Structure formats: structure tokens, C-alpha cells
């Protein structure tokens, strides 16, 4: 079983959703020995050009296409380096109208997917988000139908992104205890994909292992980060007693101070 096929099975089990066919390809009705894919076609010069989407019946679709990425159809293709490949998108190259930039595997690359033409509206409302400039400013959805689970497509100022809907009432994380290096996902809080639902324990971001004598510093979610805690405050009496017991005659005082440093780098998955 190939990697993409296995990932698609895992994705379906994880989300409980099956990919919907692209309406353009349904209308195209390609022969059985071909595969329908939507292709981005541009005309004109590099400075002034017009792009549109069209369904094509391909004898040999791209083998490397990430066909499990989109909720509607497959990633939009474009001609690049003489071959049809998945489109790439980033702040300097947004997706064409009617599509959005799927960043679920942004560590590999981001690609354009067809937006849900039915434009469904999911329950709840978007959480209040403070404008900031440290995220990937490109539309990652166009409507709620582009988001998995119960997520909604929310405006973050410079772009749109799928977010947990805000809820009212008791915080589901108030009485929740999560295992080591996980944290409870609160309403309106973002997390890396694959994520989870509000009230569930989700994994902390990867962290490097370093030899911290007094433990790692923790962020607002209680996740350890690559920074060591400072030495706890000692009383003058204990400090003097410890140094007189452990310090050799004539040795510098720094001999007694414990040293901290990186041991090796790893990641918590």
C-alpha cells in the first residue's frame, strides 16, 4: 500500500469524512480509462494575465499529487517545468478565486483546493482574534465547508483560517487533566494539524531535549519549551554550607555551580 493511500485511509478515519467529488469533473464525465482533474490555465503575459479553472480528462494524472488533501475533489493542477503538478500557494502567490490554500501539510508544501461551492454555515461563531503578523497570511479557507470537524472559516485580519468556534458557558478544560506534553484545547484556541476538538487533550509542539538541572520552562499551555528554568533561590546559610562542604581549597567558586547544556535533539510526536 502506497504512502498517500495509507495517509488517506488514516485521514478518513480521523475526520470521519469522505472527500466529495469536484462538480466540474462530475459534469465532465470523463471516459473510464482517464482521470478527471481540474487544471489552472493562464493566458497573457507574466505581468498581465488571466487565469481560470477547467476540468480535463487526463490519461496519466501526476503520480505525486496529494489527492487526499482536499475536502472537495483533488488539488488543483498547474503546468510547471513542463509537467502538470499540484499548485503551490503562499502569501506572494494566493489561490485563484473559488479556491483556497490548503496548509494541512505546510511543512511539505501548501496547495490550492476547490472551495465548497455549497457554502454551508456551521453552528457557532468565530472567536475574537487579535491582529498579528506572525502567521502565514494567505486564505486557508473561503467558507465553513472548507474546514474539517466543526471548525469555522474565520477572518484573522490579513487572511481567513479554520478555527474552533467560540462557545458560551463552562470551559470544558476547567476540570480536565491531560498527560505529559499534552494540553486541553480551549474554545477559540488554535493548534497544529492534525488537531482535535474543544475539550480534548492535544499534543504539545515538538521540543528539543536539553539537560536542564531545574527543568524546562513551560508556556501558557503547560508545554515544555527549549529553555531551562533558572536556579531556585537559596538562602545565604544553605549556599555557604553547601559551598564549604563541596568546594575544594583554592578552587574557584564556579566549580560548585551545576552546568546545563544540550544533550541531544529530538521531538515529541
Amino acid at each position: 500500500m502506497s504512502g498517500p493511500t495509507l495517509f488517506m485511509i488514516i485521514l478518513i478515519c480521523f475526520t470521519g469524512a469522505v472527500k466529495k467529488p469536484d462538480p466540474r469533473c462530475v459534469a465532465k464525465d470523463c471516459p473510464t480509462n482517464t482521470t478527471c482533474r481540474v487544471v489552472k490555465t493562464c493566458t497573457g503575459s507574466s505581468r498581465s494575465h488571466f487565469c481560470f479553472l477547467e476540468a480535463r480528462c487526463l490519461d496519466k494524472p501526476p503520480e505525486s499529487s496529494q489527492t487526499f488533501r482536499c475536502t472537495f475533489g483533488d488539488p488543483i493542477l498547474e503546468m510547471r517545468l513542463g509537467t502538470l503538478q499540484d499548485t503551490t500557494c503562499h502569501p506572494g502567490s494566493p489561490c485563484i478565486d473559488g479556491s483556497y490554500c490548503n496548509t494541512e501539510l505546510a511543512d511539505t508544501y501548501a496547495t490550492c483546493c476547490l472551495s465548497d461551492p455549497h457554502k454551508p454555515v456551521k453552528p457557532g461563531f468565530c472567536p475574537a482574534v487579535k491582529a498579528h503578523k506572525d502567521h502565514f497570511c494567505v486564505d486557508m479557507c473561503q467558507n465553513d465547508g472548507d474546514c474539517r470537524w466543526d471548525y469555522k472559516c474565520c477572518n484573522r485580519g490579513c487572511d481567513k483560517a479554520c478555527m474552533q468556534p467560540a462557545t458560551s458557558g463552562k470551559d470544558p478544560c476547567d476540570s480536565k487533566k491531560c498527560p505529559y506534553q499534552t494540553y486541553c484545547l480551549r474554545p477559540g484556541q488554535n493548534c497544529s494539524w492534525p488537531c482535535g476538538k474543544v475539550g480534548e487533550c492535544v499534543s504539545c509542539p515538538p521540543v528539543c531535549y536539553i539537560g536542564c538541572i531545574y527543568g524546562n520552562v513551560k508556556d501558557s499551555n503547560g508545554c515544555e519549551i527549549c529553555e531551562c528554568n533558572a536556579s531556585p533561590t537559596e538562602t545565604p546559610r544553605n549556599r555557604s554550607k553547601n559551598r564549604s562542604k563541596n568546594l575544594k581549597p583554592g578552587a574557584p567558586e564556579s566549580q560548585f555551580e551545576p552546568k546545563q547544556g544540550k544533550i541531544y535533539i529530538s521531538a515529541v510526536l
Side-chain angles (χ1 to χ4, degrees):
M1 184 179 295
S2 64
T5 302
L6 179 61
F7 191 93
M8 184 175 181
I9 294 174
I10 295 173
L11 180 64
I12 292 173
C13 293
F14 188 75
T15 62
V18 178
K19 181 179 63 177
K20 302 172 185 177
D22 191 314
R24 291 181 179 85
C25 283
V26 173
K28 187 71 173 178
D29 192 22
C30 290
T32 55
N33 61 336
T34 62
T35 301
C36 180
R37 293 295 299 270
V38 174
V39 180
K40 174 184 174 183
T41 304
C42 297
T43 59
S45 63
S46 58
R47 291 187 176 182
S48 177
H49 64 276
F50 171 74
C51 297
F52 58 94
L53 301 177
E54 62 175 353
R56 295 185 189 177
C57 300
L58 305 179
D59 294 327
K60 293 183 179 180
E63 294 182 359
S64 60
S65 180
Q66 304 289 326
T67 55
F68 52 84
R69 297 282 294 277
C70 306
T71 56
F72 254 91
D74 296 316
I76 297 170
L77 302 178
E78 65 181 353
M79 187 64 71
R80 197 164 66 250
L81 300 177
T83 60
L84 285 174
Q85 303 178 35
D86 288 354
T87 52
T88 57
C89 49
H90 51 80
S93 180
C95 295
I96 192 172
D97 289 346
S99 61
Y100 65 95
C101 189
N102 185 302
T103 60
E104 291 177 346
L105 292 180
D107 56 329
T108 305
Y109 65 86
T111 189
C112 296
C113 292
L114 174 70
S115 181
D116 190 335
H118 302 109
K119 300 181 179 180
V121 178
K122 296 179 181 178
F125 54 93
C126 290
V129 178
K130 294 182 179 180
H132 53 93
K133 301 179 181 179
D134 59 349
H135 59 248
F136 194 71
C137 277
V138 62
D139 286 342
M140 292 176 272
C141 61
Q142 292 294 337
N143 60 68
D144 291 355
D146 302 333
C147 302
R148 302 190 190 277
W149 308 293
D150 59 344
Y151 282 30
K152 293 182 66 66
C153 184
C154 302
N155 194 319
R156 299 193 302 179
C158 71
D159 64 6
K160 298 176 184 176
C162 294
M163 301 181 68
Q164 288 273 3
T167 58
S168 58
K170 185 178 179 181
D171 189 334
C173 293
D174 282 347
S175 58
K176 187 86 170 183
K177 291 185 178 180
C178 293
Y180 173 70
Q181 279 302 89
T182 65
Y183 65 96
C184 185
L185 190 64
R186 297 180 181 277
Q189 188 175 22
N190 288 326
C191 65
S192 302
W193 191 93
C195 193
K197 295 184 177 181
V198 168
E200 293 182 346
C201 294
V202 297
S203 297
C204 290
V207 60
C208 60
Y209 283 105
I210 52 180
C212 292
I213 302 298
Y214 307 109
N216 292 64
V217 174
K218 295 183 178 181
D219 61 17
S220 57
N221 292 324
C223 296
E224 293 183 353
I225 62 175
C226 294
E227 184 179 341
C228 292
N229 284 317
S231 172
T233 304
E234 294 180 304
T235 64
R237 181 178 179 182
N238 287 339
R239 186 181 299 114
S240 176
K241 182 179 180 181
N242 289 335
R243 285 181 176 172
S244 63
K245 182 185 297 184
N246 294 280
L247 195 61
K248 295 179 180 179
E253 291 189 0
S254 59
Q255 172 190 296
F256 178 72
E257 297 297 328
K259 295 182 179 180
Q260 302 185 128
K262 291 187 178 181
I263 298 176
Y264 59 92
I265 303 298
S266 182
V268 177
L269 300 178

